[in-house]
Structure formats: C-alpha cells, structure tokens
C-alpha cells in the first residue's frame, strides 16, 4: 500500500442519517474509530452535525463535530423540503470549488464516509426514505469533492425502477460500498455494481470494546447492585417495539400493556425457573428506561431484580450487558452488544434485518422470535421454550457464537484496510 502522498495524517468527513444520542449509532461510531484507527495512524474523523452545540458534550468523549453546510436545526435528519434546497446548493458549491479550489474548506479531507444506518431498504422504509438518503450521498460527493465511501450496512431491495436506477447510479460512483450481510452483497452484484467496489464486512458495532471492569464496578456501586455471583439474565425492552402498530393483531387489549405484561411474565419465568438475578438494562435512555420501570412494576418476583436507571454511553451499556450469563434483547444493537461478547442471546425481532444479520450471518436463527406474530400467547410460549433451551445449552451456544465472531471480526477489521487502500490511491482535493 502506498503512503499518503502529502505525508499528512488522514482526515475523513462523516455524513450520517442517525441521531448522535442513539446508543446503536454510538456503537457503530466507536467500532468504526477502532477499526479505522488501527489501519490509518493519526486518523481524524470529523462528523457533520446540524446542531453541534447541542452535542458539544460528545467532544469530551472524543467525537469531533463540525457544522453542517446544508441546513441548520435541532436534529440530525433532513426533511423533504431540505432536499429541495440541498441539491442545487450542492451543485453550486461543486462548481464554485472547481473554479476556486483554494476556497474549498474540504480540500484537505481524504474521503467522505456516509453511514446510512437502516434506511436503504425500500420494503422497510419506503421509496421516499431510500431516495432521499441516496441523494444525500450524491450531494455530498458533488459538494465536497472527496472520494465517497460507505460504512457497512444492509442495502436493498429497491422496489421501483426509479429507486433501482438511483441506487445503481449513485452507489456505482462510490470508491467503496461496504455491506454487513451476504444478501445485500449479492443484491448489489445483481443490480450491476462492480465487485471490486464492494466489500462484505460486518456491522462496526461488533468492534466497539466494552467499558472496563473498573467502570462497570463504579456503575454497580452508584446503582446499589450487589454482585452475589448469581446466574444473571439481562433483559433490554424497547419503547419503539412496544409502540409498533403491527404487533398482537389477535389481541383486543391495549397493545403497550400486552407488551409490558409479555416482558414481565418472561422475566418472572426466568427468575423463578432458573433462580436467576434479573438485570433490566435500557439500551436507549430515557425511552427504554421508562419501559424497564414499567416492566418491573408488573413483575411478581422482584427479589434479585435490578433496574439500571443511569444515562450511560454505549461502551458502558455494553459492559453492563457483559455481566449477564444470558441476554434477552428487543433492539438489534443491544443484541450485537451481547453477541459480540459471546453471550447467548434471545432476540425479539420485527424486521428482516434481524434475520439477515443475527440469523443468517451469526447463525442465531433458532434464538430469534418474531414479535409481529398476531397472538401474544404464542410469542410467550416460544420465548419460554427457547429460553429454556438456551439455558440448558449455554456453553455450546457460546462456543458457536465465538466461532462466527472470528469471521465477523476479521471482516470488520479488513474493512479498515480497504478504506486505507482507497485513501492511499487518491490525494486530497486541492
């Protein structure tokens, strides 16, 4: 691999469609920094933000935020109206920087990295979401004049001729399109992208290290958790999942209440059947924290149950999950936090990505349960059966997870090498 021609530490601009307060996005960012930092010594990642003052506290945790040139606001997402301004604005900037390169504030960056988190699947997120996020990549490529890369995500399907044309046209202009599952990789090959521009990697959250044991002990002390060496089952319920409209179709009762009772009954079953301590660990604060407390209020076996109440960064949440012997998760990145530590994990899924990433990729299909089944009693029976099977076969399950993790961690790490190769081939725009 050639050296940087200017012999300067590499700098990468980062676009995203996610909120910086999302623990899943934090995990992706931390894993990305870990992965790229090993392959690109001295690397600086700078994240575009529409509200850098709102997230200024993140700079103390190592995130460097810069003001977004496209819009101002209080969130990290663009609305449809913003895109009507974004496209001509990007084209004008591209022409201006071409004529006056010295005025281009982005000329020293080596690449533009777009993290399209869970948005390029038209079946799940719709035509408008897919097209707008593709346009965001294209506009960034034109406006900033840097080679375009993507972080590993699942892409496709594109269900209309328009979205398929846009996907093929825009993604083919990226120097590297990274995927996190085989189905997405095969789909883009069929769409017409060249294999040398594609890379089958893994979700970067797998590479995020958990908080140190000392940090976890500090949380235990602050929360009043007694570590009595009991068998621990962690549970991470989800407000988003609780509010889904397409769950429990056969139930005439209030669906959020049915959901809370479903999790509470499962927690009671785990506590009584396995004589286990229960950790209710919110993955998103404060949304999931409220759900954890509601679940606790409905439980019958409260002895040995602890609800974590603090607002912790993603590394700390992963460290707390790492204290569990078995984990029950209602969010994909909470599942990744557990599985990346080889903890047997029972996941309640509701989108295809769960089965693609955790099922096919990690070999955990036997421990995925579809929360969209119409009858909550069927879901409860399946959860209890799978949890019992998991408890009986925990060492063997953990061993199988470790075998798959070796492949995943290798693919995730090689992604950093591929990014370094792209940067070494091109110099910053000047």
């Amino acid at each position: 691999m050639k050296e940087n021609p200017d012999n300067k530490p590499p700098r990468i601009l980062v676009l995203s469609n996610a909120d910086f307060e999302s623990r899943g996005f934090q995990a992706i960012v931390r894993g990305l920094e870990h992965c790229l930092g090993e392959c690109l010594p001295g690397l600086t990642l700078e994240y575009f933000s529409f509200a850098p003052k709102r997230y200024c506290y993140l700079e103390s945790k190592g995130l460097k935020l810069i003001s977004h040139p496209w819009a101002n606001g209080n969130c990290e997402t663009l609305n449809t109206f913003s895109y009507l301004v974004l496209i001509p604005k990007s084209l004008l900037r591209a022409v201006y920087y071409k004529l006056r390169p010295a005025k281009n504030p982005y000329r020293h960056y080596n690449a533009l990295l777009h993290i399209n988190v869970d948005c390029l699947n038209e079946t799940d997120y719709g035509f408008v979401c897919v097209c707008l996020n593709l346009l965001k990549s294209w506009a960034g490529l034109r406006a900033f004049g840097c080679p375009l890369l993507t972080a590993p995500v699942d892409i496709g399907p594109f269900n209309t001729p328009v979205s398929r044309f846009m996907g093929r046209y825009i993604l083919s202009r990226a120097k590297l399109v990274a995927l996190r599952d085989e189905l997405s990789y095969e789909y883009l090959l069929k769409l017409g992208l060249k294999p040398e521009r594609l890379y089958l990697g893994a979700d970067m959250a797998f590479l995020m290290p958990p908080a140190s044991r000392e940090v976890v002990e500090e949380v235990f002390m602050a929360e009043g958790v007694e570590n009595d060496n009991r068998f621990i089952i962690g549970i991470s319920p989800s407000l988003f999942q609780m509010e889904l409209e397409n769950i429990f179709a056969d139930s005439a009762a209030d669906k959020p209440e049915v959901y809370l009772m479903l999790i509470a009954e499962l927690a009671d079953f785990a506590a009584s059947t396995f004589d286990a301590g229960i950790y209710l660990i919110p993955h998103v604060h404060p949304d999931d924290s409220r759900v954890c407390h509601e679940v606790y209020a409905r439980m019958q076996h409260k002895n040995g149950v602890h609800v974590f109440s603090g607002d912790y960064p993603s590394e700390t949440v992963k460290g707390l999950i790492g204290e569990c012997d078995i984990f029950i998760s209602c969010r994909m990145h909470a599942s990744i936090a557990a599985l990346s530590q080889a903890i047997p994990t029972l996941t309640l899924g509701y989108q295809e990505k769960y089965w693609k990433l955790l099922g096919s990729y990690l070999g955990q299909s036997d421990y995925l349960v579809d929360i969209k089944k119409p009858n909550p009693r069927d879901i409860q029976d399946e959860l209890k059966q799978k949890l019992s099977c998991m408890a009986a076969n925990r060492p063997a399950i953990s061993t199988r997870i470790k075998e798959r993790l070796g492949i995943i961690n290798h693919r995730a790490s090689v992604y950093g090498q591929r990014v370094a190769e792209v940067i070494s081939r091109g110099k910053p725009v000047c």
Side-chain angles (χ1 to χ4, degrees):
M1 188 176 72
K2 295 183 293 185
E3 295 294 329
N4 186 326
D6 291 334
N7 208 23
K8 294 179 181 178
R11 299 172 67 188
I12 295 179
L13 280 168
V14 182
L15 278 173
S16 73
N17 67 326
D19 194 302
F20 283 103
E21 292 177 349
S22 162
R23 297 303 183 271
F25 182 60
Q26 283 184 22
I28 290 172
V29 165
R30 293 306 186 194
L32 194 64
E33 292 172 343
H34 178 77
C35 169
L36 297 183
E38 290 188 343
C39 300
L40 292 164
L43 171 68
T44 298
L45 287 167
E46 298 185 21
Y47 297 83
F48 277 129
S49 172
F50 295 147
K53 291 183 179 179
R54 175 184 172 189
Y55 297 108
C56 61
Y57 69 93
L58 293 173
E59 294 198 354
S60 64
K61 300 175 183 178
L63 284 179
K64 187 171 183 181
L65 306 179
I66 59 175
S67 183
H68 207 298
W70 284 337
N72 295 310
N74 293 316
C75 70
E76 294 304 314
T77 58
L78 291 167
N79 57 36
T80 304
F81 174 77
S82 299
Y83 279 88
L84 299 178
V85 179
L86 180 156
I87 302 304
K89 207 173 191 180
S90 298
L91 289 172
L92 288 173
R93 282 181 180 272
V95 172
Y96 178 69
Y97 294 152
K98 193 75 173 177
L99 297 173
R100 303 285 299 276
K103 296 291 185 179
N104 182 356
Y106 311 105
R107 65 188 183 278
H108 297 305
Y109 290 95
N110 300 83
L112 174 69
L113 177 64
H114 196 177
I115 308 176
N116 284 297
V117 179
D118 295 340
C119 67
L120 295 182
N121 180 325
E122 193 169 343
T123 300
D124 288 338
Y125 297 98
F127 173 80
V128 173
C129 178
V130 165
C131 291
L132 292 186
N133 279 281
L134 286 169
L135 284 173
K136 192 174 180 181
S137 291
W138 179 84
L141 175 65
R142 293 300 175 199
F144 309 131
C146 304
L148 176 64
L149 316 170
T150 77
V153 294
D154 51 321
I155 296 180
F158 303 137
N159 297 332
T160 64
V162 173
S163 59
R164 284 194 290 271
F165 170 78
M166 289 180 62
R168 184 186 306 111
Y169 178 81
I170 293 171
L171 293 175
S172 65
R173 276 146 183 77
K175 296 295 184 183
L176 180 64
V177 178
L179 296 314
R180 66 184 181 187
D181 68 271
E182 287 93 340
L183 292 176
S184 295
Y185 184 85
E186 295 297 329
Y187 178 77
L188 290 189
L189 285 177
K190 292 178 181 178
L191 195 66
L193 270 71
K194 296 179 179 179
E196 59 267 24
R197 297 287 181 93
L198 302 179
Y199 179 68
L200 178 58
D203 193 300
M204 288 290 106
F206 279 102
L207 296 187
M208 181 188 71
S212 67
R213 180 67 195 171
E214 290 75 16
V215 170
V216 173
E217 290 288 355
E218 289 175 6
V219 172
F220 276 11
M221 185 175 296
E223 296 259 1
V225 179
E226 294 184 8
N227 191 351
D228 55 5
N229 296 317
R230 294 181 70 178
F231 188 80
I232 299 296
I233 296 179
I235 304 177
S236 182
S238 162
L239 176 66
F240 181 84
Q241 197 173 83
M242 184 179 79
E243 295 179 342
L244 287 173
E245 295 180 359
N246 56 348
I247 59 174
F248 314 144
D250 288 354
S251 176
D254 179 43
K255 290 185 179 181
E257 180 62 27
V258 174
Y259 179 86
L260 291 170
M261 288 304 300
L262 177 80
I263 304 300
E265 184 179 332
L266 181 63
D268 281 330
F269 172 80
S272 60
T273 304
F274 309 111
D275 190 27
I278 304 295
Y279 288 172
L280 290 167
I281 305 175
H283 195 252
V284 174
H285 186 88
D287 293 354
D288 296 352
S289 299
R290 177 168 65 84
V291 181
C292 286
H293 285 284
E294 294 285 356
V295 167
Y296 177 78
R298 287 159 177 77
M299 289 182 63
Q300 300 297 316
H301 300 274
K302 291 185 168 65
N303 184 37
V305 179
H306 184 83
V307 182
F308 287 88
S309 301
D311 182 7
Y312 303 115
S314 53
E315 298 96 327
T316 302
V317 175
K318 184 170 182 175
L320 296 175
I321 291 172
E323 296 298 307
C324 303
D325 297 291
I326 286 177
F327 192 62
I328 301 170
S329 170
C330 299
R331 287 187 181 269
M332 192 178 75
H333 277 98
S335 295
I336 289 175
L339 290 165
S340 62
Q341 300 178 87
I343 297 171
T345 301
L346 181 59
T347 301
L348 285 76
Y350 59 93
Q351 285 179 321
E352 184 186 11
K353 65 181 181 180
Y354 285 84
W355 278 262
K356 287 199 299 186
L357 188 61
L358 306 181
S360 301
Y361 203 42
L362 259 175
Q364 295 298 298
S365 297
D366 289 344
Y367 303 106
L368 280 164
V369 176
D370 190 353
I371 191 69
K372 293 189 296 183
K373 286 184 177 180
N375 191 329
R377 178 49 53 191
D378 291 341
I379 297 172
Q380 185 66 265
D381 292 343
E382 186 177 0
L383 286 168
K384 290 178 180 178
Q385 182 270 325
K386 289 181 182 293
L387 182 60
S388 297
C389 180
M390 181 173 283
N393 298 281
R394 189 167 61 91
I397 295 170
S398 183
T399 298
R400 286 199 296 273
I401 295 171
K402 289 176 182 177
E403 291 171 355
R404 294 298 301 171
L405 283 177
I407 300 171
I408 288 173
N409 290 334
H410 173 71
R411 286 179 176 176
S413 298
V414 172
Y415 170 72
Q417 298 173 21
R418 292 292 300 272
V419 172
E421 288 170 4
V422 170
I423 289 178
S424 72
R425 289 196 298 265
K427 59 184 180 180
V429 176
C430 58

